[in-house]
Amino acid sequence: MISEEELAKLSYPDAPKIVTKIPGPKSQKIIGDVPKYESLARPGGAAPPVFDEGMGATIKDPDGNIFIDMAAGVAVNAVGRRHPKVVQAIEEQLTKLMHAAEAVNTRRAELAKKISSIMPEGLRGNCVSYFTQSGSGAVETAIKFARHVTGRSQIVAFHGAYHGVWCGSGALTTGDRYHYGFGPLIPYVIHVPYAYCYRCCFGLEYPTCDLQCAKYVDYVLNTPYTAADDVAALIVEAQQGEGGYLAPPPEYFKILKKACEKHGALFIADEVQAGAGRSGKMWSIEHSDVVPDMLTWGKGMGGDLPMAGLTFRADFADKLVEASQPGTFAGNALSAVVCMTNIDILTDKNYDLIGRAAQLGKETKARLQEGANNSRIIGDVRGRGLFIGVELVKDKKTKEPIDGSVMRKILSELLNRGVIMVPCGRYGTVLRFMPPLIITKEYLEKATDILLSICKEY
C-alpha cells in the first residue's frame, strides 16, 4: 500500500490554510460577476469557494486560501486533482489525438476492453459499453436501450433518486427543484420507497423489518392491478447519493433482483456516484453479490476530464439498432486515456486505494459515530468506504431535521475553517464525506475533527 508520505505529496501541504475572510476580495469580485454572464440554474453558481487551483485532496482559491476537499468535485476526483500519472497521460495523448467523432479510435477501443475487465463478476468479460460525457447521458441511454431490448415502456425508480436532470433521467430523479415547472417529462415512471432505515416509511426497524421496503417493490412488480404491468427496467443507485448517502442492507438488492427476474424487467445499477472504488469495492453493487443487467458509470471514472458510460450484457447488443444513438464527443481519445489511467491507479496493488477506502471508511465512520454520542445534532452516521453520510437533526428523539438556517451556518463555518463539504438528503441536512481516495489520514482526521467541533457548538 502506498505510504502516507507519498500520498501527502499529491496535495498542498499545511491544509487547511485560511488567510482571508471567506470569500476573500478576489473571490468576491468573481462571484459578483457570475450572475451577469452565467445561468444560476447550475448549483453553486454564485457561492464560495471559488476554485482557482486544485491538487490532490486540496483546493486553493484566488485569495490563497487552501481547503481540504471533502467533496472531490461531487465524487468525481477519485484519484485526486491533477494526479501526476493523469497529467503525464494527458501530455502524451494531446500530441497524438483528441477528438475523433464517431470514428473508431485506438484509445476508445482500449477503454472498452478495460471497462469490460473491471465489471462485477457475471457481467465481466461478457458485456459491451456505450460512452457518454455525463451520468445523465448514461441514464438516458439506459432508458432507451432497456425499452428497446424488452419491448416495454415503464421504468421503476426510487424515492430520493438522483439519476440526472434531462427529460428522461430527470423523470427518474425525485428532487422537486430538478423537475418542478419543467414538465411533463417522460411518462411511465413508477417511484417506490428506497431503503432509508433511519427514516423508514413503514415505521419499522432493521433487521426486524424483514426488508419490507424491498418486498413492497416485489409486490408492485408482481401483483396484478398495481399499474406496473409493462416494466422494462428497474433502476437503482447501489448507494443513494443525493437522497441522503444511504447504504441499504446487502440482502435488499437480492430481493429487488429476484423481483425483476420474476417480472421480466432488467435490473440497472446506477454507479455514477457510488462506483469507482468509493465504497471499498470497485462497484458498490458488489457488496450485495447481485449481477446487474446494465450498469451506468461516470464521475470518478473520468476524474479531471468528462467520461461516463453505460455497460450492459453482451447479448443485448444484437437487439439494438445500429447507429441509433450517436454521440459526437463520446469516447473522446483524451478522455478515454484519462479514464484508463484512473482505472490503473484505482486497481494498482501498490496503491490499494480501494482497500484503503474501505479501511479509512470504517475508521472515520467509527469516529463520527463516537462523536455523535457527544453531539445534540448528529442523528445518524451511515455508509461504506469513503461514501459516508452524516445526518443532522434538531431533535434526536423526533428526528426533526435541523433548520435550514442552521445548516447554512454549519456549511459556512466549515468553509471558514478550511473544509469543503457538500450537503444532500431529502431535507438538505446530510453532510457527505466523499473525499478523493488519495486523501491522507491526517487531512481526513483534520476535516472530521473540524466538523465534530462545529457540531458540539449547536
Side-chain angles (χ1 to χ4, degrees), residues 43 51 170 177 426 450:
F51 286 32
R177 67 179 176 276
R426 315 292 172 86
I450 289 170

Side-chain angles (χ1 to χ4, degrees), residues 159-160 194-198 237-241 243-248 253 380 382-384 387 389 391 426 430:
H159 300 161
Y194 194 82
Y196 192 171
C197 296
Y198 183 64
E237 292 163 90
Q239 289 186 205
Q240 200 169 77
Y245 261 45
L246 308 177
F253 292 108
D380 192 35
R382 54 189 178 246
R384 299 188 186 96
F387 188 111
E391 182 158 356
R426 315 292 172 86
V430 179

Side-chain angles (χ1 to χ4, degrees), residues 129-144:
S129 293
Y130 175 89
F131 299 123
T132 69
Q133 295 83 53
S134 70
S136 291
V139 171
E140 292 285 333
T141 305
I143 294 170
K144 185 174 179 180

Side-chain angles (χ1 to χ4, degrees), residues 289-303:
D289 295 322
V290 166
V291 181
D293 299 298
M294 295 182 171
L295 188 149
T296 60
W297 50 269
K299 288 188 181 289
M301 295 289 283

Side-chain angles (χ1 to χ4, degrees), residues 19 44 131 146 359:
V19 297
F131 299 123
Q359 182 59 37

Side-chain angles (χ1 to χ4, degrees), residues 123-449:
L123 199 58
R124 187 182 310 148
N126 187 33
C127 56
V128 296
S129 293
Y130 175 89
F131 299 123
T132 69
Q133 295 83 53
S134 70
S136 291
V139 171
E140 292 285 333
T141 305
I143 294 170
K144 185 174 179 180
F145 286 5
R147 284 178 165 178
H148 191 79
V149 166
T150 63
R152 299 178 178 183
S153 59
Q154 293 175 314
I155 306 291
V156 171
F158 289 78
H159 300 161
Y162 183 91
H163 296 292
V165 292
W166 298 0
C167 281
S169 56
L172 307 179
T173 296
T174 55
D176 291 350
R177 67 179 176 276
Y178 302 123
H179 54 72
Y180 182 78
F182 295 104
L185 303 177
I186 67 165
Y188 307 123
V189 174
I190 301 168
H191 285 100
V192 292
Y194 194 82
Y196 192 171
C197 296
Y198 183 64
R199 297 184 183 276
C200 176
C201 65
F202 298 103
L204 303 174
E205 291 188 8
Y206 179 79
T208 56
C209 63
D210 199 28
L211 277 297
Q212 184 61 43
C213 54
K215 291 183 177 180
Y216 177 75
V217 178
D218 183 33
Y219 163 80
V220 169
L221 282 173
N222 295 301
T223 304
Y225 283 77
T226 62
D229 52 6
D230 189 38
V231 175
L234 174 148
I235 183 167
V236 62
E237 292 163 90
Q239 289 186 205
Q240 200 169 77
E242 186 77 12
Y245 261 45
L246 308 177
E251 60 267 36
Y252 175 76
F253 292 108
K254 292 180 181 179
I255 296 172
L256 297 188
K257 180 65 185 297
K258 287 181 180 179
C260 287
E261 291 172 345
K262 195 188 307 182
H263 185 86
L266 304 183
F267 182 98
I268 305 173
D270 186 337
E271 294 271 5
V272 172
Q273 187 165 161
R278 181 155 297 280
S279 71
K281 291 184 181 290
M282 188 67 193
W283 307 107
S284 187
I285 197 67
E286 292 178 295
H287 290 282
S288 303
D289 295 322
V290 166
V291 181
D293 299 298
M294 295 182 171
L295 188 149
T296 60
W297 50 269
K299 288 188 181 289
M301 295 289 283
D304 277 328
L305 288 182
M307 175 58 77
L310 168 70
T311 300
F312 50 93
R313 284 167 35 187
D315 59 303
F316 294 164
D318 291 339
K319 299 179 181 180
L320 299 171
V321 178
E322 189 172 345
S324 61
Q325 190 80 353
T328 303
F329 294 99
N332 173 282
L334 193 59
S335 292
V337 78
V338 168
C339 185
M340 286 191 286
T341 304
N342 286 335
I343 292 170
D344 288 342
I345 296 169
L346 287 170
T347 57
D348 187 335
K349 293 182 180 179
N350 292 323
Y351 271 77
D352 193 24
L353 290 182
I354 297 177
R356 183 174 179 273
Q359 182 59 37
L360 281 184
K362 288 180 182 178
E363 295 171 5
T364 303
K365 189 175 172 183
R367 291 190 67 227
L368 288 167
Q369 288 171 332
E370 181 181 352
N373 295 330
N374 301 313
S375 169
R376 292 181 296 177
I377 65 170
I378 298 179
D380 192 35
V381 178
R382 54 189 178 246
R384 299 188 186 96
L386 293 178
F387 188 111
I388 301 171
V390 178
E391 182 158 356
L392 305 184
V393 294
K394 192 173 185 178
D395 186 294
K396 285 190 174 185
K397 290 184 179 179
T398 65
K399 301 180 183 179
E400 180 183 353
I402 199 167
D403 292 341
S405 59
V406 176
M407 190 68 183
R408 288 189 289 274
K409 287 180 182 178
I410 290 172
L411 290 168
S412 178
E413 189 57 34
L414 282 165
L415 276 183
N416 289 331
R417 299 190 195 185
V419 176
I420 297 173
M421 279 194 181
V422 178
C424 66
R426 315 292 172 86
Y427 303 97
T429 55
V430 179
L431 289 168
R432 291 184 251 199
F433 275 65
M434 52 176 175
L437 306 190
I438 53 82
I439 190 170
T440 61
K441 287 185 179 181
E442 178 189 0
Y443 280 179
L444 184 56
E445 288 174 359
K446 277 186 180 181
T448 303
D449 288 342

Side-chain angles (χ1 to χ4, degrees), residues 26-38:
K26 293 180 181 178
S27 295
Q28 286 183 42
K29 186 180 186 307
I30 294 169
I31 290 171
D33 286 343
V34 166
K36 301 175 185 177
Y37 306 103
E38 276 196 78

